[in-house]
Amino acid sequence: MTKVTLKDLSLREQRLSQRVLELKQAYFRAVPEICCERPVLVTRFARQHGFFDKQRISALEKARQYRHVLEHRRPVVWHDRAVERSMASFAVKDRSLFAGSTTSHFKGVPIFPEFMGLALWPELHNIKTRAANPYFLDDDDARALNEDVFPFWLDHSILEVCRKRLSSQSPAPGGRGRDTIEMNLLEMLVFFLASKANCISHTIPDFTQALRLGLRGIADEARKRGQAARNAEQRDFYAAMVEAMAGIMAYSRNLAAEARRMAAAATDADEKAELLAIAAINERVPELPARSFREGLTTIWICWTAIHLENPDVGLSLGRLDQVLFDLYQKDIASGVLTVEQAIELLACLWLKIGDHVPCVPATGEQLFGGTGSNQAITVGGVDAKGANSVNDLTYVMIRATELMMLRDPNLNARYFSGVNDKAYLRRLCEVNLNTGATPALHNDRAVIAALTAKGETLEQARDYGVIGCVEPGSNGRSYGATASILLNLTSVLELALYNGEHRHTGRGNLISERTGEAASFRSFADFKQAFVRQAAWMVERATALNQALGLTHQDVYPTPILSSLFEGPMDKGKDLIFGGATINSSGASIIGFADVVDSLAAIEQVVFTEKAMGLPDLLAVLDANFAGHEALLARLRNPLRTPKYGNESPVADALALWLATTLDELFGSKQNYRDGRWRVGYWTMTNHAGFGRLSRATPNGRRDGENFTSGITPVSGVTPSLTKALGSVASLPSKVLSNGVAFNIKYTPDHAHLDRMLDNFVASVEGYFDPVRGGAGGMEIQFNVTTHDTFVDAVKNPQNYPELLVRVSGYTAYFKDLNPQMQQEIIERTEYDLGLGRAVEFARNS
Amino acid sequence: MQTLKRLYYTLLSWLLPERLALRLFRRRFDDLRRAVEGKLVDKFVEILLGAMELSFFLMRGFRRNLSGFAGSYLLRTSDGRVAAGAHFAAGRMRVDHEDFPDYSVAITFKDAPALRRFLLSRDQDILASILANDVTVDGNLNYVYKLGFLARDLFHRLGVG
């Protein structure tokens, strides 16, 4: 039976309802408000139950804590106020079809003192007035954080517990003072970031059991397994699942009761009816199996709020919603209780709910890495576990809802399997990119599935992948991939190799890693590559060791019973996700500065070792001078006709790119994580390529001090004039060494005057990039900004005119106005292609 | 000497309304204002910690920050010289100039302006200070956040900065 029955795949007749338009308007007007509800309740419970005196906290203890919070948090059915940029409050007409919210606010900032929440402490007085992305915080809440929350976590945040764990290991090799070298490297920021200090679960839950059995069914199963459990630890874990489910059910029932109370007081008949409908639904789900599309959406939404109570909002993703909800959708449409129009309204309301919170980012972080949302990815399309076309009507309905809403969160990702999925579907995806300017990102099923099976997943598991956070593929609801565990600045590896274990940023004469040879000592490029590999191995060892220590810390004090109950694996294994309860247990690293390092290596090979135009020490002297007085050399290093550049199908540069990606895959792939899984490597950078670039000195590829690095796996801006060659170079990298996902950013000039022709070319460019005939499985992922250079330039000057200008950063979507100036400039300067010509468009730089 | 000073401050805080007590020490707080504004930068550490210690006696609201707080800060210059030690325990703050090993956190700074930027400047300067190696931290970073709040809370209450 065909799953696509829609006559118009674009659903052009569908518009946003008045309800959604009003909500959306309030959403864009509102600034985020810091929410104290969770930290106050969590801290109070922790104090009352002696958590701060314990070395280990069990899953059952954590489950009881979350049940307490879920039972005692204020059930907000509809919000009546929000705060605008002037920090004055305004009335909100909230008639959402879903009750509840992630925080107690219309748009909130959840605080996790267990992780990095205390970084906000110095800002409590001025966070409302900071330059970048201010948050509202009222005086009572500031006082509560200062007196009732933060003081108790001073010695108990994850990073601090981990630091103590590492420092207690004697001796602390290589570290400054009492801290180990791993902690020092993290604190110096220029080498790598370890996200476990700020995040625990970067994955996709399994909603299918909650939809099919209801949470009561999951709890019953856990209770049964607990009775048959072999040991006390397993019995405790199953009891924790029961507690966690009880907490979520209580929250939903509290919402239902509040809706009934409001209905009783309502004078408007429509409002009363809507509240009663909400009450009836929340009384039933998520406790019992969902019977309708709306009940299904409510089940997912309520579970989602509970998951975010436990897990910081760092890239938790919703997965293949068009698959897990299709049966309910189809049944309702067939029986006539649901129309496409109603489905879009429900999805639009849900999308706004999903985006009702932003991550807590301190001012320092905003300046370097800011502008990110919570990066909650939704995946649509592709093939099913058996390899059949899984694009359905709901896929198109979700795409239309996304097109109409144009929100940063959720972040829509579309899968495409050439030859299985229809070309009309691909054309529609390209059309939405043109209309929204930035979404959805497109993933090549053939390449992604090949990458995942190469890492040991079964074909069925690999086919059922969803996208996590930015672009990372993970088997839906069963892969606890921790895909953003390490963000490694690869240019620092190059720096250590060039400067014999030292880094200009931390000071010459200060040995960071190990001596691998003075610049003058390298007799061949092979010698230099060997030094580079040794430095890379050293860095990978340090980064994975720190991740290991942080993971063990999570095991000691932060089990995750809520998410574990909504995941494939923990029920069967009888253990929490952080102890390896999931079916798949990998960890992921992402590499920052890939193209800059490839081009730098190519420049060194060409200029120093092949042409012998200058010695390596001379090149380093030029870099130290930031190319001042060496403009001819700078021009030569930037010229793709004179120096090999990745992205031009240059045999030299592309061979280096392949060598580098393979080397990193081997180095990371040899490491085992604390859950007995293996590491995977990806190339997506969020805004870190701008942040790290700002901190880094000149590089051999002709990049000056402080300039941005290049995003994701994208070739360096301005050196790849041919679109076809740029696509070909990136596609030539085998996906099996890119298994943690890639972000390939391409900017196209929109051509609304010749829409059909542009869409033809758009589709052809994607098909060419995904084409497997190049010897591999084709390019893995591609994402677009389809906005003119002039629009971006104007948006910098007049941000008030572009509140909804959506951009792809490197993986996720963001509002252009929220990005820091350096990141805005990076997007402006990205190579822009005219699809008609297949060539880069010339524009004045730094305009 | 320290004991006498404490006794004097305590008596004042009992005898005088907060507003009058603050006026009595107006010159000390004027020094703080000038240090924050970029004058008297060389004496920044001394002035800040002195004003903080005094303020804990005089301002009840500010004193609430000490409730249950125990920790010690070692502030030193990059040549290893100790600039100050700040000890918090039992609702009190004590400042000295001795080295000690059991600090909660040691903050090593290139010079007084670097520490001022690190603790007080808005936006990116904390990070910029670390990255420029103007400041390094050894120990529990959370205590740095607490110290940052104490400094800003003091300025907020005094209308400084």
Side-chain angles (χ1 to χ4, degrees), chain A residues 122 125-126 129 146-147 154-155 157 178 189 368 505-506, chain B residues 64-65 103 122 127 131 133 138-140 142-143 149 152-153:
Chain A
H125 282 304
N126 64 353
T129 55
N146 179 46
E147 295 179 11
L154 267 168
D155 296 307
S157 67
R178 299 182 309 194
L189 289 171
L368 273 183
H505 205 84
T506 50
Chain B
R64 287 163 67 104
N65 287 312
Y103 48 79
R122 296 176 66 131
L127 206 51
L131 290 163
N133 286 320
D138 180 44
N140 187 341
N142 293 333
Y143 282 75
F149 176 79
R152 284 166 191 245
D153 191 39

PDB file of all heavy atoms in Angstrom, chain A residues 122 125-126 129 146-147 154-155 157 178 189 368 505-506, chain B residues 64-65 103 122 127 131 133 138-140 142-143 149 152-153:
ATOM      1  N   PRO A 122      28.390  34.628  38.433  1.00  0.00           N
ATOM      2  CA  PRO A 122      28.853  36.026  38.399  1.00  0.00           C
ATOM      3  C   PRO A 122      27.911  36.955  37.646  1.00  0.00           C
ATOM      4  O   PRO A 122      28.021  38.172  37.762  1.00  0.00           O
ATOM      5  CB  PRO A 122      30.206  35.945  37.670  1.00  0.00           C
ATOM      6  CG  PRO A 122      30.593  34.508  37.693  1.00  0.00           C
ATOM      7  CD  PRO A 122      29.322  33.728  37.747  1.00  0.00           C
ATOM      8  N   HIS A 125      23.520  39.541  38.522  1.00  0.00           N
ATOM      9  CA  HIS A 125      23.060  40.928  38.574  1.00  0.00           C
ATOM     10  C   HIS A 125      22.888  41.563  37.202  1.00  0.00           C
ATOM     11  O   HIS A 125      22.154  42.535  37.068  1.00  0.00           O
ATOM     12  CB  HIS A 125      24.033  41.782  39.391  1.00  0.00           C
ATOM     13  CG  HIS A 125      23.870  41.603  40.866  1.00  0.00           C
ATOM     14  ND1 HIS A 125      22.683  41.794  41.516  1.00  0.00           N
ATOM     15  CD2 HIS A 125      24.756  41.232  41.821  1.00  0.00           C
ATOM     16  CE1 HIS A 125      22.832  41.555  42.809  1.00  0.00           C
ATOM     17  NE2 HIS A 125      24.088  41.203  43.022  1.00  0.00           N
ATOM     18  N   ASN A 126      23.616  41.069  36.217  1.00  0.00           N
ATOM     19  CA  ASN A 126      23.593  41.811  34.945  1.00  0.00           C
ATOM     20  C   ASN A 126      23.234  40.967  33.731  1.00  0.00           C
ATOM     21  O   ASN A 126      23.431  41.398  32.593  1.00  0.00           O
ATOM     22  CB  ASN A 126      24.944  42.507  34.719  1.00  0.00           C
ATOM     23  CG  ASN A 126      26.074  41.522  34.575  1.00  0.00           C
ATOM     24  OD1 ASN A 126      25.865  40.332  34.773  1.00  0.00           O
ATOM     25  ND2 ASN A 126      27.252  41.997  34.237  1.00  0.00           N
ATOM     26  N   THR A 129      21.120  42.563  31.071  1.00  0.00           N
ATOM     27  CA  THR A 129      21.627  43.675  30.245  1.00  0.00           C
ATOM     28  C   THR A 129      22.867  43.301  29.453  1.00  0.00           C
ATOM     29  O   THR A 129      23.468  44.151  28.822  1.00  0.00           O
ATOM     30  CB  THR A 129      21.969  44.881  31.141  1.00  0.00           C
ATOM     31  OG1 THR A 129      22.895  44.450  32.150  1.00  0.00           O
ATOM     32  CG2 THR A 129      20.731  45.448  31.788  1.00  0.00           C
ATOM     33  N   ASN A 146      21.379  32.238  44.237  1.00  0.00           N
ATOM     34  CA  ASN A 146      22.570  32.604  45.007  1.00  0.00           C
ATOM     35  C   ASN A 146      22.590  31.976  46.390  1.00  0.00           C
ATOM     36  O   ASN A 146      23.650  31.626  46.897  1.00  0.00           O
ATOM     37  CB  ASN A 146      22.657  34.127  45.127  1.00  0.00           C
ATOM     38  CG  ASN A 146      23.863  34.573  45.926  1.00  0.00           C
ATOM     39  OD1 ASN A 146      24.971  34.083  45.709  1.00  0.00           O
ATOM     40  ND2 ASN A 146      23.668  35.470  46.867  1.00  0.00           N
ATOM     41  N   GLU A 147      21.424  31.829  46.991  1.00  0.00           N
ATOM     42  CA  GLU A 147      21.402  31.370  48.383  1.00  0.00           C
ATOM     43  C   GLU A 147      20.933  29.929  48.555  1.00  0.00           C
ATOM     44  O   GLU A 147      21.428  29.229  49.427  1.00  0.00           O
ATOM     45  CB  GLU A 147      20.505  32.296  49.214  1.00  0.00           C
ATOM     46  CG  GLU A 147      21.070  33.706  49.305  1.00  0.00           C
ATOM     47  CD  GLU A 147      20.178  34.644  50.096  1.00  0.00           C
ATOM     48  OE1 GLU A 147      19.231  34.166  50.753  1.00  0.00           O
ATOM     49  OE2 GLU A 147      20.423  35.865  50.040  1.00  0.00           O
ATOM     50  N   LEU A 154      28.847  23.800  45.032  1.00  0.00           N
ATOM     51  CA  LEU A 154      30.225  24.263  44.865  1.00  0.00           C
ATOM     52  C   LEU A 154      31.213  23.106  44.723  1.00  0.00           C
ATOM     53  O   LEU A 154      32.103  23.140  43.878  1.00  0.00           O
ATOM     54  CB  LEU A 154      30.632  25.112  46.074  1.00  0.00           C
ATOM     55  CG  LEU A 154      30.428  26.624  45.976  1.00  0.00           C
ATOM     56  CD1 LEU A 154      30.602  27.263  47.344  1.00  0.00           C
ATOM     57  CD2 LEU A 154      31.390  27.247  44.984  1.00  0.00           C
ATOM     58  N   ASP A 155      31.047  22.103  45.560  1.00  0.00           N
ATOM     59  CA  ASP A 155      31.991  20.972  45.533  1.00  0.00           C
ATOM     60  C   ASP A 155      31.386  19.734  44.886  1.00  0.00           C
ATOM     61  O   ASP A 155      31.957  18.644  44.989  1.00  0.00           O
ATOM     62  CB  ASP A 155      32.425  20.640  46.967  1.00  0.00           C
ATOM     63  CG  ASP A 155      33.199  21.778  47.590  1.00  0.00           C
ATOM     64  OD1 ASP A 155      34.185  22.223  46.972  1.00  0.00           O
ATOM     65  OD2 ASP A 155      32.793  22.258  48.669  1.00  0.00           O
ATOM     66  N   SER A 157      29.548  19.708  41.559  1.00  0.00           N
ATOM     67  CA  SER A 157      29.214  19.673  40.128  1.00  0.00           C
ATOM     68  C   SER A 157      30.022  18.548  39.471  1.00  0.00           C
ATOM     69  O   SER A 157      31.053  18.109  39.997  1.00  0.00           O
ATOM     70  CB  SER A 157      29.541  21.016  39.472  1.00  0.00           C
ATOM     71  OG  SER A 157      30.932  21.229  39.466  1.00  0.00           O
ATOM     72  N   ARG A 178      47.898  21.335  40.988  1.00  0.00           N
ATOM     73  CA  ARG A 178      47.363  20.053  41.468  1.00  0.00           C
ATOM     74  C   ARG A 178      46.522  19.344  40.416  1.00  0.00           C
ATOM     75  O   ARG A 178      46.147  18.204  40.600  1.00  0.00           O
ATOM     76  CB  ARG A 178      46.513  20.302  42.715  1.00  0.00           C
ATOM     77  CG  ARG A 178      47.325  20.906  43.847  1.00  0.00           C
ATOM     78  CD  ARG A 178      46.481  21.099  45.077  1.00  0.00           C
ATOM     79  NE  ARG A 178      45.247  21.818  44.786  1.00  0.00           N
ATOM     80  CZ  ARG A 178      44.464  22.340  45.732  1.00  0.00           C
ATOM     81  NH1 ARG A 178      44.805  22.228  46.996  1.00  0.00           N
ATOM     82  NH2 ARG A 178      43.359  22.970  45.418  1.00  0.00           N
ATOM     83  N   LEU A 189      41.164  25.593  26.803  1.00  0.00           N
ATOM     84  CA  LEU A 189      40.108  25.741  25.787  1.00  0.00           C
ATOM     85  C   LEU A 189      40.544  25.600  24.334  1.00  0.00           C
ATOM     86  O   LEU A 189      39.735  25.298  23.477  1.00  0.00           O
ATOM     87  CB  LEU A 189      39.404  27.096  25.943  1.00  0.00           C
ATOM     88  CG  LEU A 189      38.512  27.237  27.159  1.00  0.00           C
ATOM     89  CD1 LEU A 189      38.060  28.683  27.301  1.00  0.00           C
ATOM     90  CD2 LEU A 189      37.301  26.336  27.061  1.00  0.00           C
ATOM     91  N   LEU A 368      32.029  33.596  22.431  1.00  0.00           N
ATOM     92  CA  LEU A 368      32.840  32.727  21.572  1.00  0.00           C
ATOM     93  C   LEU A 368      32.008  31.736  20.780  1.00  0.00           C
ATOM     94  O   LEU A 368      32.275  31.477  19.611  1.00  0.00           O
ATOM     95  CB  LEU A 368      33.849  31.952  22.430  1.00  0.00           C
ATOM     96  CG  LEU A 368      35.173  32.651  22.698  1.00  0.00           C
ATOM     97  CD1 LEU A 368      36.077  31.752  23.491  1.00  0.00           C
ATOM     98  CD2 LEU A 368      35.865  33.076  21.412  1.00  0.00           C
ATOM     99  N   HIS A 505      49.627  29.847  21.455  1.00  0.00           N
ATOM    100  CA  HIS A 505      48.609  30.498  22.278  1.00  0.00           C
ATOM    101  C   HIS A 505      48.889  30.358  23.771  1.00  0.00           C
ATOM    102  O   HIS A 505      48.587  31.248  24.564  1.00  0.00           O
ATOM    103  CB  HIS A 505      47.237  29.935  21.957  1.00  0.00           C
ATOM    104  CG  HIS A 505      46.161  30.909  22.283  1.00  0.00           C
ATOM    105  ND1 HIS A 505      45.781  31.901  21.423  1.00  0.00           N
ATOM    106  CD2 HIS A 505      45.442  31.096  23.409  1.00  0.00           C
ATOM    107  CE1 HIS A 505      44.860  32.637  21.992  1.00  0.00           C
ATOM    108  NE2 HIS A 505      44.638  32.168  23.199  1.00  0.00           N
ATOM    109  N   THR A 506      49.444  29.213  24.146  1.00  0.00           N
ATOM    110  CA  THR A 506      49.746  29.014  25.567  1.00  0.00           C
ATOM    111  C   THR A 506      51.182  29.423  25.865  1.00  0.00           C
ATOM    112  O   THR A 506      51.633  29.289  26.996  1.00  0.00           O
ATOM    113  CB  THR A 506      49.516  27.546  25.964  1.00  0.00           C
ATOM    114  OG1 THR A 506      50.192  26.709  25.025  1.00  0.00           O
ATOM    115  CG2 THR A 506      48.050  27.213  25.956  1.00  0.00           C
TER     116      THR A 506
ATOM    117  N   ARG B  64      24.880  37.853  54.003  1.00  0.00           N
ATOM    118  CA  ARG B  64      24.161  36.582  53.729  1.00  0.00           C
ATOM    119  C   ARG B  64      24.946  35.691  52.781  1.00  0.00           C
ATOM    120  O   ARG B  64      24.784  34.469  52.774  1.00  0.00           O
ATOM    121  CB  ARG B  64      22.797  36.871  53.104  1.00  0.00           C
ATOM    122  CG  ARG B  64      21.796  37.425  54.122  1.00  0.00           C
ATOM    123  CD  ARG B  64      20.640  38.066  53.399  1.00  0.00           C
ATOM    124  NE  ARG B  64      19.849  37.087  52.675  1.00  0.00           N
ATOM    125  CZ  ARG B  64      18.666  36.645  53.081  1.00  0.00           C
ATOM    126  NH1 ARG B  64      18.166  37.093  54.197  1.00  0.00           N
ATOM    127  NH2 ARG B  64      17.998  35.775  52.368  1.00  0.00           N
ATOM    128  N   ASN B  65      25.801  36.298  51.960  1.00  0.00           N
ATOM    129  CA  ASN B  65      26.620  35.507  51.044  1.00  0.00           C
ATOM    130  C   ASN B  65      27.594  34.580  51.765  1.00  0.00           C
ATOM    131  O   ASN B  65      28.143  33.650  51.162  1.00  0.00           O
ATOM    132  CB  ASN B  65      27.434  36.432  50.130  1.00  0.00           C
ATOM    133  CG  ASN B  65      26.568  37.102  49.080  1.00  0.00           C
ATOM    134  OD1 ASN B  65      25.782  36.443  48.418  1.00  0.00           O
ATOM    135  ND2 ASN B  65      26.692  38.416  48.949  1.00  0.00           N
ATOM    136  N   TYR B 103      44.350  25.389  49.434  1.00  0.00           N
ATOM    137  CA  TYR B 103      43.385  26.331  48.882  1.00  0.00           C
ATOM    138  C   TYR B 103      42.265  25.603  48.132  1.00  0.00           C
ATOM    139  O   TYR B 103      42.466  24.493  47.617  1.00  0.00           O
ATOM    140  CB  TYR B 103      44.066  27.325  47.943  1.00  0.00           C
ATOM    141  CG  TYR B 103      44.996  26.705  46.929  1.00  0.00           C
ATOM    142  CD1 TYR B 103      44.506  26.101  45.784  1.00  0.00           C
ATOM    143  CD2 TYR B 103      46.378  26.724  47.130  1.00  0.00           C
ATOM    144  CE1 TYR B 103      45.367  25.530  44.857  1.00  0.00           C
ATOM    145  CE2 TYR B 103      47.246  26.149  46.208  1.00  0.00           C
ATOM    146  CZ  TYR B 103      46.739  25.553  45.065  1.00  0.00           C
ATOM    147  OH  TYR B 103      47.581  24.980  44.157  1.00  0.00           O
ATOM    148  N   ARG B 122      32.944  42.734  31.693  1.00  0.00           N
ATOM    149  CA  ARG B 122      31.765  42.070  31.146  1.00  0.00           C
ATOM    150  C   ARG B 122      32.176  41.201  29.975  1.00  0.00           C
ATOM    151  O   ARG B 122      33.260  41.299  29.442  1.00  0.00           O
ATOM    152  CB  ARG B 122      30.765  43.118  30.689  1.00  0.00           C
ATOM    153  CG  ARG B 122      30.247  43.954  31.850  1.00  0.00           C
ATOM    154  CD  ARG B 122      29.351  45.005  31.309  1.00  0.00           C
ATOM    155  NE  ARG B 122      28.180  44.376  30.730  1.00  0.00           N
ATOM    156  CZ  ARG B 122      26.947  44.757  31.002  1.00  0.00           C
ATOM    157  NH1 ARG B 122      26.729  45.716  31.843  1.00  0.00           N
ATOM    158  NH2 ARG B 122      25.929  44.164  30.437  1.00  0.00           N
ATOM    159  N   LEU B 127      37.145  34.715  29.783  1.00  0.00           N
ATOM    160  CA  LEU B 127      37.689  33.722  28.869  1.00  0.00           C
ATOM    161  C   LEU B 127      38.940  34.259  28.180  1.00  0.00           C
ATOM    162  O   LEU B 127      39.956  33.572  28.069  1.00  0.00           O
ATOM    163  CB  LEU B 127      36.622  33.408  27.819  1.00  0.00           C
ATOM    164  CG  LEU B 127      36.677  32.055  27.175  1.00  0.00           C
ATOM    165  CD1 LEU B 127      36.748  30.979  28.216  1.00  0.00           C
ATOM    166  CD2 LEU B 127      35.454  31.863  26.309  1.00  0.00           C
ATOM    167  N   LEU B 131      42.612  32.652  28.121  1.00  0.00           N
ATOM    168  CA  LEU B 131      43.227  32.291  26.847  1.00  0.00           C
ATOM    169  C   LEU B 131      44.496  33.075  26.572  1.00  0.00           C
ATOM    170  O   LEU B 131      45.396  32.587  25.908  1.00  0.00           O
ATOM    171  CB  LEU B 131      42.205  32.507  25.732  1.00  0.00           C
ATOM    172  CG  LEU B 131      41.092  31.485  25.805  1.00  0.00           C
ATOM    173  CD1 LEU B 131      39.899  31.928  24.987  1.00  0.00           C
ATOM    174  CD2 LEU B 131      41.578  30.137  25.350  1.00  0.00           C
ATOM    175  N   ASN B 133      46.536  33.708  28.709  1.00  0.00           N
ATOM    176  CA  ASN B 133      47.443  33.342  29.797  1.00  0.00           C
ATOM    177  C   ASN B 133      47.692  34.499  30.748  1.00  0.00           C
ATOM    178  O   ASN B 133      48.720  34.558  31.399  1.00  0.00           O
ATOM    179  CB  ASN B 133      48.761  32.789  29.249  1.00  0.00           C
ATOM    180  CG  ASN B 133      48.582  31.406  28.713  1.00  0.00           C
ATOM    181  OD1 ASN B 133      47.874  30.597  29.303  1.00  0.00           O
ATOM    182  ND2 ASN B 133      49.178  31.137  27.574  1.00  0.00           N
ATOM    183  N   ASP B 138      44.005  27.067  39.256  1.00  0.00           N
ATOM    184  CA  ASP B 138      44.295  25.704  39.704  1.00  0.00           C
ATOM    185  C   ASP B 138      43.321  25.384  40.824  1.00  0.00           C
ATOM    186  O   ASP B 138      43.311  26.063  41.847  1.00  0.00           O
ATOM    187  CB  ASP B 138      45.744  25.611  40.205  1.00  0.00           C
ATOM    188  CG  ASP B 138      46.081  24.208  40.673  1.00  0.00           C
ATOM    189  OD1 ASP B 138      45.713  23.243  39.988  1.00  0.00           O
ATOM    190  OD2 ASP B 138      46.694  24.067  41.747  1.00  0.00           O
ATOM    191  N   GLY B 139      42.505  24.387  40.617  1.00  0.00           N
ATOM    192  CA  GLY B 139      41.555  24.026  41.658  1.00  0.00           C
ATOM    193  C   GLY B 139      40.122  24.125  41.167  1.00  0.00           C
ATOM    194  O   GLY B 139      39.849  23.987  39.978  1.00  0.00           O
ATOM    195  N   ASN B 140      39.254  24.392  42.105  1.00  0.00           N
ATOM    196  CA  ASN B 140      37.813  24.327  41.849  1.00  0.00           C
ATOM    197  C   ASN B 140      37.311  25.624  41.198  1.00  0.00           C
ATOM    198  O   ASN B 140      37.229  26.669  41.849  1.00  0.00           O
ATOM    199  CB  ASN B 140      37.094  24.078  43.177  1.00  0.00           C
ATOM    200  CG  ASN B 140      35.618  23.820  42.997  1.00  0.00           C
ATOM    201  OD1 ASN B 140      35.037  24.158  41.969  1.00  0.00           O
ATOM    202  ND2 ASN B 140      35.005  23.220  44.003  1.00  0.00           N
ATOM    203  N   ASN B 142      34.411  26.471  40.404  1.00  0.00           N
ATOM    204  CA  ASN B 142      33.159  26.998  40.967  1.00  0.00           C
ATOM    205  C   ASN B 142      33.422  28.110  41.993  1.00  0.00           C
ATOM    206  O   ASN B 142      32.616  29.018  42.166  1.00  0.00           O
ATOM    207  CB  ASN B 142      32.354  25.875  41.630  1.00  0.00           C
ATOM    208  CG  ASN B 142      31.842  24.871  40.616  1.00  0.00           C
ATOM    209  OD1 ASN B 142      31.634  25.217  39.454  1.00  0.00           O
ATOM    210  ND2 ASN B 142      31.654  23.627  41.038  1.00  0.00           N
ATOM    211  N   TYR B 143      34.561  28.006  42.670  1.00  0.00           N
ATOM    212  CA  TYR B 143      34.888  29.048  43.651  1.00  0.00           C
ATOM    213  C   TYR B 143      35.227  30.363  42.959  1.00  0.00           C
ATOM    214  O   TYR B 143      35.040  31.433  43.531  1.00  0.00           O
ATOM    215  CB  TYR B 143      36.040  28.579  44.563  1.00  0.00           C
ATOM    216  CG  TYR B 143      35.563  27.630  45.629  1.00  0.00           C
ATOM    217  CD1 TYR B 143      35.244  26.311  45.314  1.00  0.00           C
ATOM    218  CD2 TYR B 143      35.391  28.051  46.943  1.00  0.00           C
ATOM    219  CE1 TYR B 143      34.777  25.436  46.287  1.00  0.00           C
ATOM    220  CE2 TYR B 143      34.928  27.185  47.922  1.00  0.00           C
ATOM    221  CZ  TYR B 143      34.614  25.875  47.585  1.00  0.00           C
ATOM    222  OH  TYR B 143      34.132  25.025  48.538  1.00  0.00           O
ATOM    223  N   PHE B 149      30.831  36.516  41.701  1.00  0.00           N
ATOM    224  CA  PHE B 149      29.541  37.033  42.175  1.00  0.00           C
ATOM    225  C   PHE B 149      29.735  37.975  43.360  1.00  0.00           C
ATOM    226  O   PHE B 149      29.113  39.039  43.426  1.00  0.00           O
ATOM    227  CB  PHE B 149      28.592  35.894  42.564  1.00  0.00           C
ATOM    228  CG  PHE B 149      27.308  36.417  43.146  1.00  0.00           C
ATOM    229  CD1 PHE B 149      26.311  36.912  42.320  1.00  0.00           C
ATOM    230  CD2 PHE B 149      27.118  36.490  44.518  1.00  0.00           C
ATOM    231  CE1 PHE B 149      25.144  37.455  42.841  1.00  0.00           C
ATOM    232  CE2 PHE B 149      25.954  37.027  45.050  1.00  0.00           C
ATOM    233  CZ  PHE B 149      24.968  37.498  44.209  1.00  0.00           C
ATOM    234  N   ARG B 152      30.835  41.354  42.180  1.00  0.00           N
ATOM    235  CA  ARG B 152      29.776  42.103  41.480  1.00  0.00           C
ATOM    236  C   ARG B 152      28.629  42.471  42.414  1.00  0.00           C
ATOM    237  O   ARG B 152      28.015  43.528  42.267  1.00  0.00           O
ATOM    238  CB  ARG B 152      29.254  41.270  40.311  1.00  0.00           C
ATOM    239  CG  ARG B 152      30.232  41.275  39.144  1.00  0.00           C
ATOM    240  CD  ARG B 152      29.902  40.202  38.147  1.00  0.00           C
ATOM    241  NE  ARG B 152      30.971  40.048  37.184  1.00  0.00           N
ATOM    242  CZ  ARG B 152      30.851  40.307  35.885  1.00  0.00           C
ATOM    243  NH1 ARG B 152      29.721  40.745  35.411  1.00  0.00           N
ATOM    244  NH2 ARG B 152      31.865  40.128  35.076  1.00  0.00           N
ATOM    245  N   ASP B 153      28.356  41.579  43.359  1.00  0.00           N
ATOM    246  CA  ASP B 153      27.290  41.877  44.314  1.00  0.00           C
ATOM    247  C   ASP B 153      27.673  43.088  45.160  1.00  0.00           C
ATOM    248  O   ASP B 153      26.837  43.956  45.447  1.00  0.00           O
ATOM    249  CB  ASP B 153      27.035  40.653  45.194  1.00  0.00           C
ATOM    250  CG  ASP B 153      25.771  40.795  46.027  1.00  0.00           C
ATOM    251  OD1 ASP B 153      24.777  41.338  45.490  1.00  0.00           O
ATOM    252  OD2 ASP B 153      25.761  40.386  47.195  1.00  0.00           O
TER     253      ASP B 153
END
